[in-house]
């Protein structure tokens, strides 16, 4: 006899499950494939993920251990420990944020990703539109769609260095637009918005009464220049939400510690959401985060300097290439490589690069159609290994270009 359960399917899942299962979730397949090959002992250089290869600085680890040992294992302030919120507010002020930002403008959440998700839940209704320059970080689509809102993609032009233009954003505004989501410094391109573009976007937000959501997770990894924060522009404080974390700047991706800076009313909404979702971040991790802010800046500066040297190593190794070109980032830990001259789709190129040359990168299309023809590599291995990866990229690109030229050449005596 068949058991009653064997052919029964479960009751239906919520429609939400379809809205969060987009392309973004499958973008990582190449990365998992590379990890599997590396685990089998193969010589694979993994440049497909943005996880720093540095250890979290020891003083931060020790602060967590000391906090745990001293019994910080209970529920804590749902909005985040006041001492941590004060430090985050100071960090925000020090990174171009509004001079009056204080602990009441901050909510501590489990990473910037959780901050983005929670912010979207509190700002967006079904049918709302959110304007997002594209290419964009892969999770944005699902985050926006989780609320029933709709992402409206504004293409960035490769030939303009993937810099957003306010006119393109303005053209995408409709009566349903509720927010503009900007990631600067940008993943995947590593570009930063100029002050002039921030100002134009701020003007659009004021004129059309829009929220400006800013993902600033790479703000502490700018190589040249200062980070600008639009909440300090006139009339922007009440409509700007800045999301960030310690993941990248302090090599703390696994700690899951991030935050949202915005108007106090948003903070109470986030607290209500956290009450039914998270109930506060772990107190010992918050204590470690306090230590992270107190950490002498040298550890952080060293990491930033190292990413910068790696960027320069890639630029230098590929400088004379006739088949690939680099788009040097102004910040962060990623770099776009232009492989358009190979004639291959970027997915096909990335697959071949992994299968035949043992380097894993992400295809630009994973971040949006406007990044077709580019692959993104992470600056998360040492400079020598990166140079080796670049030589393999260049070799693979030359092979592909040779083959596509051969395929394009008409055969003697044949007419079509
Ligand atoms: N935004 C961007 C642009 C990112 O690149 C990442 C991480 N790759 C996140 C948000 C999420 O960061 P966190 O680890 O703080 O959740």
């Amino acid at each position: 006899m068949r058991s009653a359960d064997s052919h029964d399917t479960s009751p239906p899942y919520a429609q939400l499950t379809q809205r969060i299962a987009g392309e973004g979730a499958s973008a990582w397949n190449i990365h998992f494939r590379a990890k599997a090959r590396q685990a089998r002992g193969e010589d694979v250089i993994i440049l497909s993920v943005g996880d720093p290869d540095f250890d979290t600085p020891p003083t931060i680890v020790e602060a967590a251990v000391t906090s745990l040992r001293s019994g910080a294992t209970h529920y804590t302030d749902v909005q985040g420990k006041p001492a941590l919120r004060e430090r985050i507010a100071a960090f925000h002020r020090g990174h171009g944020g509004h001079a009056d930002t204080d602990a009441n403008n901050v909510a501590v959440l489990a990473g910037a990703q959780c901050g983005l998700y929670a912010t979207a839940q509190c700002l967006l209704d079904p049918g709302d539109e959110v304007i997002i320059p594209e290419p964009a970080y892969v999770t944005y689509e699902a985050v926006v769609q989780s609320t029933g809102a709709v992402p409206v993609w504004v293409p960035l032009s490769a030939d303009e260095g993937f810099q957003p233009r306010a006119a393109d954003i303005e053209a995408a505004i409709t009566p349903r637009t509720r927010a503009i989501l900007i990631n600067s410094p940008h993943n995947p391109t590593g570009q930063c918005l100029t002050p002039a573009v921030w100002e134009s976007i701020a003007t659009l937000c004021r004129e059309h009464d829009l929220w400006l959501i800013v993902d600033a997770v790479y703000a502490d990894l700018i190589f040249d220049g200062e980070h600008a924060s639009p909440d300090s522009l006139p009339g922007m404080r009440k409509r700007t939400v800045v999301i960030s974390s310690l993941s990248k700047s302090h090599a703390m991706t696994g700690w899951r510690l991030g935050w949202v800076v915005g108007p106090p009313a948003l903070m109470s909404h986030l607290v209500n959401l956290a009450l039914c979702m998270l109930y506060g971040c772990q107190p010992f991790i918050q204590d470690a985060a306090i230590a992270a802010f107190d950490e002498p800046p040298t550890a952080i500066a060293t990491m930033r300097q190292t990413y910068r040297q790696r960027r320069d190593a890639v630029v230098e190794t590929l400088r004379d290439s006739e088949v690939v070109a680099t788009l040097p980032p102004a910040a962060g830990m990623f770099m776009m490589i232009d492989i358009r001259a190979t004639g291959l789709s970027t997915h096909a190129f990335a697959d071949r690069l992994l299968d035949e040359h043992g380097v894993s990168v992400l295809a630009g299309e994973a971040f949006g159609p406007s990044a077709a023809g580019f692959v993104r590599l992470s600056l998360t291995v040492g400079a020598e290994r990166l140079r080796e990866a670049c030589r393999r990229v260049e070799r693979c690109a030359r092979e592909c270009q040779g083959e596509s030229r051969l395929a394009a050449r008409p055969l003697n005596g044949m007419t079509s």
Side-chain angles (χ1 to χ4, degrees):
M1 220 176 115
R2 259 188 315 178
S3 91
D5 264 358
S6 64
H7 63 281
D8 289 345
T9 50
S10 304
Y13 293 97
Q15 286 174 16
L16 166 81
T17 56
Q18 283 157 33
R19 297 198 302 268
I20 58 176
E23 294 258 315
S26 56
W28 307 111
N29 287 348
I30 194 161
H31 177 69
F32 299 138
R33 220 150 47 78
K35 290 290 269 189
R37 284 185 52 179
Q38 198 178 51
R40 289 200 296 270
E42 294 177 37
D43 171 25
V44 176
I45 308 178
I46 297 187
L47 305 178
S48 39
V49 75
D51 199 349
D53 56 324
F54 304 105
D55 289 331
T56 302
T59 47
I60 301 174
V61 176
E62 284 313 314
V65 173
T66 307
S67 171
L68 263 172
R69 291 225 162 94
S70 70
T73 55
H74 297 271
Y75 290 134
T76 185
D77 191 319
V78 174
Q79 191 173 343
K81 286 189 166 199
L84 175 56
R85 286 191 278 124
E86 274 161 25
R87 281 169 175 79
I88 293 170
F91 172 88
H92 183 73
R93 293 193 301 269
H95 284 70
H98 197 284
D100 294 338
T101 307
D102 65 24
N104 298 318
N105 296 108
V106 179
V108 178
L109 288 160
Q113 192 58 57
C114 184
L116 280 161
Y117 185 86
T119 300
Q121 302 306 315
C122 293
L123 302 188
L124 305 174
D125 281 318
D128 285 347
E129 293 176 352
V130 181
I131 295 175
I132 313 174
E134 159 286 300
Y137 182 50
V138 289
T139 66
Y140 290 169
E141 182 177 27
V143 165
V144 170
Q145 289 182 174
S146 72
T147 68
V150 183
V152 174
W153 305 108
V154 171
L156 297 173
S157 160
D159 298 325
E160 290 179 28
F162 294 109
Q163 281 288 343
R165 294 189 330 170
D168 297 338
I169 292 176
E170 184 170 19
I173 295 175
T174 75
R176 287 196 298 278
T177 308
R178 177 68 70 93
I180 300 172
L181 168 52
I182 298 287
N183 171 213
S184 179
H186 186 240
N187 178 7
T189 67
Q191 306 305 310
C192 298
L193 253 64
T194 62
V197 174
W198 277 126
E199 284 196 20
S200 315
I201 292 176
T203 305
L204 294 176
C205 290
R206 284 190 300 262
E207 282 175 4
H208 297 269
D209 195 21
L210 305 177
W211 284 102
L212 180 52
I213 306 171
V214 182
D215 176 347
V217 285
Y218 299 99
D220 229 11
L221 291 179
I222 297 181
F223 306 135
D224 310 295
E226 299 273 296
H227 180 66
S229 196
D231 59 322
S232 55
L233 296 173
M236 287 306 290
R237 198 178 175 207
K238 60 182 180 194
R239 58 176 76 256
T240 304
V241 185
V242 180
I243 296 154
S244 197
S245 76
L246 293 176
S247 289
K248 311 293 174 156
S249 56
H250 290 65
M252 289 178 70
T253 50
W255 296 72
R256 311 310 303 132
L257 197 290
W259 59 86
V260 177
V261 176
L266 173 62
M267 298 307 124
S268 13
H269 300 315
L270 289 173
V271 166
N272 289 339
L273 185 63
L275 282 171
C276 63
M277 183 187 74
L278 183 68
Y279 219 88
C281 286
Q282 298 82 338
F284 50 94
I285 291 185
Q286 296 196 53
D287 286 340
I290 291 172
F293 283 107
D294 294 345
E295 167 88 357
T298 48
I300 312 312
T302 306
M303 289 192 228
R304 188 189 309 122
Q305 188 58 15
T306 308
Y307 288 126
R308 187 200 180 113
Q309 283 162 356
R310 292 173 181 178
R311 172 197 70 173
D312 295 343
V314 173
V315 171
E316 198 186 288
T317 312
L318 295 176
R319 178 168 292 138
D320 296 328
S321 172
E322 284 169 7
V323 58
V324 299
T326 55
L327 176 67
M333 50 202 292
F334 303 110
M335 183 144 173
M336 295 294 260
I337 309 287
D338 185 346
I339 56 118
R340 286 178 286 185
T342 64
L344 236 63
S345 88
T346 20
H347 279 299
F349 181 82
D351 280 341
R352 180 160 174 174
L353 183 64
L354 176 59
D355 293 341
E356 294 177 18
H357 298 268
V359 179
S360 73
V361 295
L362 287 190
E365 285 108 316
F367 303 89
S370 301
F374 287 75
V375 293
R376 187 199 76 172
L377 57 80
S378 308
L379 306 171
T380 46
V381 298
E384 273 323 301
R385 201 77 178 127
L386 261 182
R387 284 183 208 275
E388 167 61 18
C390 290
R391 285 190 286 270
R392 295 187 195 183
V393 168
E394 151 81 9
R395 206 176 311 138
C396 181
R398 261 190 285 118
E399 280 170 19
C400 297
Q401 191 187 45
E403 287 163 22
S404 54
R405 279 189 182 151
L406 217 58
R409 197 187 304 157
L411 292 177
N412 274 349
M414 286 192 62
T415 52
S416 57

